[in-house]
Amino acid sequence: WGVLLAALVAVVYWWAIDPAKAVMSAVAVLVVTCPCALSLATPAAMLASAGTFAKGGVLIRRLQAIQALSEIDTIVFDKTGTLTENLQQVQLAETHPDLGNTLILDMLASVTRDSLHPVAKALHTYAIEQDAVSDLAMHDWQEIVGGGISATLDTQTKAAVAVKLGNAAFSGVHEIEAGAERQVYLMAGSVMVARFTLTEQVKPHAKAAISQLISQGLDIQLLSGDRIAPVKNLALQLGIKSASGLQKAEDKLRHVMSLQQQGRKVLMVGDGLNDGPVIAAAHTSIAMGTGVPLTQAQADMVVLGNDIGVLVSLISHC
């Protein structure tokens, strides 16, 4: 009865001015107050918002994420590929005295050719730029999250060699301390044939974005599978107070679930394979457009470009 009365008032009010508009006004009142219109209003508004965000460089994969994003109080960032550039500076720091650089780089190019991890991609690019070939026969290839790559390569001598490429723990060697540089070891069996150092560059807008997010009252944290030294160094550069290194996928998941048990609403931002489980478990999540497809598939939102600064605009408008 209230709806019908409102429609009647609209007709009476507009009839003396414009009978056609009076009828349209009455119909408009009836349409917008019906249950169907009300039930469509929220998804329609979310779709409109998703379109706006897409124009700004953020793909909304799940519309509920817009509501969830407005509720967050904590943001947990991955490091490599999220706050730092995928294109890392690579240096061949050490080689086995009995092996030539050509064979070493061919092995490196071959074992990294199918990986989507930022470190592996950087090493592959480095090897190819040194005129390496990536066509060595390879089988039993697998990528271990938080560790590295293992495979069996048939080298130029046709001898099958079990190869590992990854961090010290995965490779089974004593880590060589190098400050903020990442160390990657190439192993043939139990013998280290090469050691590479990688220097990461912070993304151009990362520091400003983190500063603005902190100013909005959000708790910013950094979790990375990298060594503690580079993780702490990056956190210091960006003004992040809570940072942890040597975090495997299960460690990241455990940390975020602990925050959620405390009542926190956590936004997880990452791009790597070891971010997949925690991205799926967080209150809401964002994957970088340069990240692995599996992680993007688990995320609620995907930043289409490489600019971390769009997060500020995204969060402030939710």
Side-chain angles (χ1 to χ4, degrees):
W1 286 109
V3 171
L4 293 176
L5 180 60
L8 179 61
V9 169
V11 170
V12 172
Y13 178 81
W14 285 106
W15 190 266
I17 304 171
D18 186 345
K21 192 167 185 177
V23 174
M24 291 298 295
S25 298
V27 171
V29 170
L30 294 174
V31 168
V32 300
T33 55
C34 79
C36 292
L38 290 174
S39 64
L40 288 173
T42 298
M46 285 187 171
L47 281 172
S49 299
T52 301
F53 289 140
K55 292 177 182 178
V58 180
L59 176 63
I60 307 295
R61 298 189 64 254
R62 298 181 180 89
L63 291 178
Q64 296 88 342
I66 298 175
Q67 173 66 28
L69 197 61
S70 68
E71 300 168 350
I72 65 166
D73 51 36
T74 305
I75 305 179
V76 177
F77 283 96
D78 172 47
K79 182 174 74 70
T80 304
T82 302
L83 295 176
T84 63
E85 298 285 5
N86 280 334
L87 297 176
Q88 305 177 55
Q89 297 178 350
V90 179
Q91 181 179 357
L92 181 56
E94 184 179 353
T95 60
H96 193 283
D98 297 334
L99 295 178
N101 283 10
T102 299
L103 176 57
I104 289 173
L105 292 173
D106 287 351
M107 293 170 65
L108 178 68
S110 298
V111 79
T112 56
R113 70 188 177 208
D114 296 325
S115 176
L116 296 176
H117 192 280
V119 172
K121 290 166 68 175
L123 289 167
H124 184 77
T125 300
Y126 168 79
I128 296 301
E129 288 176 347
Q130 304 299 314
D131 298 324
V133 296
S134 59
D135 58 358
L136 296 181
M138 179 171 58
H139 51 93
D140 297 330
W141 185 95
Q142 60 177 333
E143 190 166 21
I144 309 301
V145 176
I149 299 170
S150 66
T152 301
L153 288 178
D154 293 331
T155 63
Q156 294 154 338
T157 62
K158 304 302 182 183
V161 178
V163 174
K164 282 186 175 182
L165 176 74
N167 57 34
F170 177 75
S171 303
V173 300
H174 178 70
E175 184 167 23
I176 298 171
E177 183 61 41
E181 294 178 338
R182 179 194 289 265
Q183 303 292 302
V184 178
Y185 303 85
L186 179 62
M187 310 292 293
S190 59
V191 178
M192 186 183 77
V193 299
R195 176 173 63 90
F196 302 89
T197 62
L198 293 90
T199 305
E200 294 178 306
Q201 300 295 321
V202 180
K203 288 187 176 180
H205 303 105
K207 186 172 183 178
I210 295 298
S211 177
Q212 292 179 60
L213 292 172
I214 292 174
S215 69
Q216 294 180 21
L218 296 169
D219 178 21
I220 309 299
Q221 301 186 14
L222 175 60
L223 296 180
S224 173
D226 204 354
R227 295 181 303 111
I228 295 174
V231 173
K232 295 292 187 182
N233 181 63
L234 178 66
L236 184 62
Q237 291 183 56
L238 299 180
I240 300 175
K241 294 181 179 180
S242 176
S244 299
L246 301 176
Q247 297 288 296
K248 297 180 180 179
E250 56 268 30
D251 298 324
K252 291 185 176 183
L253 178 59
R254 191 180 302 112
H255 180 84
V256 168
M257 291 183 69
S258 174
L259 290 174
Q260 293 182 148
Q261 289 171 1
Q262 298 169 27
R264 300 282 196 95
K265 302 294 186 181
V266 180
L267 164 65
M268 179 67 202
V269 186
D271 77 322
L273 275 174
N274 64 338
D275 297 320
V278 67
I279 272 182
H283 184 64
T284 188
S285 55
I286 296 175
M288 303 305 295
T290 53
V292 298
L294 178 61
T295 300
Q296 293 182 10
Q298 295 293 332
D300 296 325
M301 295 160 277
V302 177
V303 175
L304 299 177
N306 194 37
D307 183 9
I308 199 74
V310 300
L311 296 183
V312 179
S313 176
L314 176 64
I315 292 171
S316 63
H317 284 85
C318 286

